[in-house]
Structures are given as C-alpha cells and as structure tokens.
C-alpha cells in the first residue's frame, strides 16, 4: 500500500514513555483496539501523543468502550458485572491475547489497565488537545468473545470514537 501511495513509511519500535528524538510531528495519530489498556500512565501517554502531533493535527481513537471491561464473556452469567468500572489495579493474565475467540494457551503475564472514559478524556484534555467529538457505539471492534453483547434489549456501549486536535497556536 505504501508503494502504491508513493510513500516510504518509517516503522519505529519504541517505549511510548521514552520516545527517541527525531520522530517529527504528524497530521494524524490513530489509536485503535486495545492500545489504551496497555498504558499504565494515561497522562504521560497522551503527552507523548500530543508531542507527535503537528499544530492542527488530529488524534483519532477508535477503541473498546471501557464499560465493556466490567464483564467476563466466558462467565456463567456474562451480563453480570464481574469487575469494577473504577478498578485501579491492572488485571493480570497469563492467557495469550488473541482477537479470534480461540484459546492459544498460556504465556508470560500481561497487565491490562482499565481506564474510565472520563480518565481517557481528561488525560487527552490535560495534554493540551481540544476535544472535537466523542461518540459511543453499540458495536464491537474487538475479538469475537465480545460479539455476544451485540443486539441486547438494553444495549451496552461497546466501542467509542474520540477525535481531538492539537491547537494551532
């Protein structure tokens, strides 16, 4: 796709909390499925994101709604809340993370940080970004496990889109 568009993207593997110099500033930063839950420090994360945006540049987040994180889709009663929406400590799991609904076995411990929608929006604003849009969706953007929550009589928020902009001055 890059060649067809006449582009030569530079792929960088780095710690978001300690980005290397020279990454430049960009018109768009896109964050999608599951990124925010790997971030233990939202204010530092959004400060890094803001530093990557050019003046007038936009941040677009299309992410799983944090309210969905209170449920356990494999529980006997998958619609009964299992975790607090306001949980502060990360969920620790040795299950390999997949998005296809299949069991891929065990691996090293992973740490899943549940952030409220208010914490996400506040960290974005505190980083100096201007909120342009926040939309919640009744559809899943995630692994097949969560598809069972689609089409409920009392529909859960399953994903959201947030658009923010770095001010030009």
């Amino acid at each position: 796709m890059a060649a067809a568009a006449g582009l030569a993207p530079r792929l960088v593997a780095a710690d978001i909390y300690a980005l290397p110099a020279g990454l430049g500033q960009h018109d768009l930063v896109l964050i999608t499925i599951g990124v925010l839950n790997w971030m233990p420090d939202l204010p530092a994360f959004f400060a890094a994101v803001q530093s990557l945006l050019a003046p007038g540049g936009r941040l677009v987040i299309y992410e799983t709604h944090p309210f969905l994180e209170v449920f356990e889709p494999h529980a006997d009663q998958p619609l009964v809340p299992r975790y607090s929406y306001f949980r502060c400590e990360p969920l620790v799991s040795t299950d390999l993370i997949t998005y296809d609904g299949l069991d891929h076995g065990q691996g090293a411990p992973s740490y899943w940080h549940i952030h409220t929608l208010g914490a996400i929006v506040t960290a974005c604003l505190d980083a100096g970004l201007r909120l342009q849009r926040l939309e919640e969706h009744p559809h899943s953007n995630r692994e097949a496990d969560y598809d069972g929550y689609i089409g409920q009589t009392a529909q859960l928020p399953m994903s959201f889109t947030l658009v923010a902009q770095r001010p030009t001055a």
Side-chain angles (χ1 to χ4, degrees), residues 98-123:
T98 65
Y99 295 93
D100 61 7
L102 302 176
D103 182 353
H104 291 273
Q106 301 289 299
S110 63
Y111 301 87
W112 194 250
H113 303 271
I114 298 174
H115 306 291
T116 66
L117 191 56
I120 294 165
V121 171
T122 298

Side-chain angles (χ1 to χ4, degrees), residues 1-12 22-23 26:
M1 286 179 33
L7 301 172
R10 176 180 166 211
L11 301 177
V12 178
L23 294 179
H26 308 277

Side-chain angles (χ1 to χ4, degrees), residues 38 82 93 112 114 118 163:
W38 294 113
R82 182 164 178 183
S93 177
W112 194 250
I114 298 174
V163 179

Side-chain angles (χ1 to χ4, degrees), residues 64-68 71 136-139 154-160:
T64 300
H65 198 292
F67 186 71
L68 197 59
F71 301 101
E136 298 169 291
H137 311 292
H139 63 262
Q155 183 61 53
L156 301 171
M158 297 186 69
S159 57
F160 72 95

Side-chain angles (χ1 to χ4, degrees), residues 133-146:
R133 190 175 104 209
L134 176 60
E135 185 177 341
E136 298 169 291
H137 311 292
H139 63 262
S140 174
N141 67 342
R142 208 163 155 187
E143 66 262 27
D145 290 347
Y146 289 90

Side-chain angles (χ1 to χ4, degrees), residues 4-155:
L7 301 172
R10 176 180 166 211
L11 301 177
V12 178
D15 179 343
I16 189 70
Y17 300 117
L19 292 174
L23 294 179
Q25 292 186 315
H26 308 277
D27 295 328
L28 175 68
V29 171
L30 175 65
I31 297 170
T32 191
I33 312 171
V35 170
L36 296 177
N37 294 102
W38 294 113
M39 303 300 141
D41 185 345
L42 281 182
F45 174 75
F46 280 107
V49 167
Q50 190 267 7
S51 75
L52 293 171
L53 283 169
R58 286 194 169 84
L59 164 65
V60 176
I61 301 173
Y62 177 56
E63 188 47 287
T64 300
H65 198 292
F67 186 71
L68 197 59
E69 301 288 355
V70 306
F71 301 101
E72 178 55 59
H74 297 291
D76 291 337
Q77 295 181 308
L79 291 172
V80 173
R82 182 164 178 183
Y83 308 105
S84 173
Y85 181 71
F86 301 101
R87 181 184 178 111
C88 294
E89 67 281 354
L91 292 171
V92 182
S93 177
T94 56
D95 294 337
L96 291 175
I97 306 291
T98 65
Y99 295 93
D100 61 7
L102 302 176
D103 182 353
H104 291 273
Q106 301 289 299
S110 63
Y111 301 87
W112 194 250
H113 303 271
I114 298 174
H115 306 291
T116 66
L117 191 56
I120 294 165
V121 171
T122 298
C124 184
L125 295 173
D126 286 349
L129 300 174
R130 286 191 201 146
L131 185 63
Q132 293 187 311
R133 190 175 104 209
L134 176 60
E135 185 177 341
E136 298 169 291
H137 311 292
H139 63 262
S140 174
N141 67 342
R142 208 163 155 187
E143 66 262 27
D145 290 347
Y146 289 90
D147 289 346
Y149 297 116
I150 296 171
Q152 299 294 318
T153 303
Q155 183 61 53

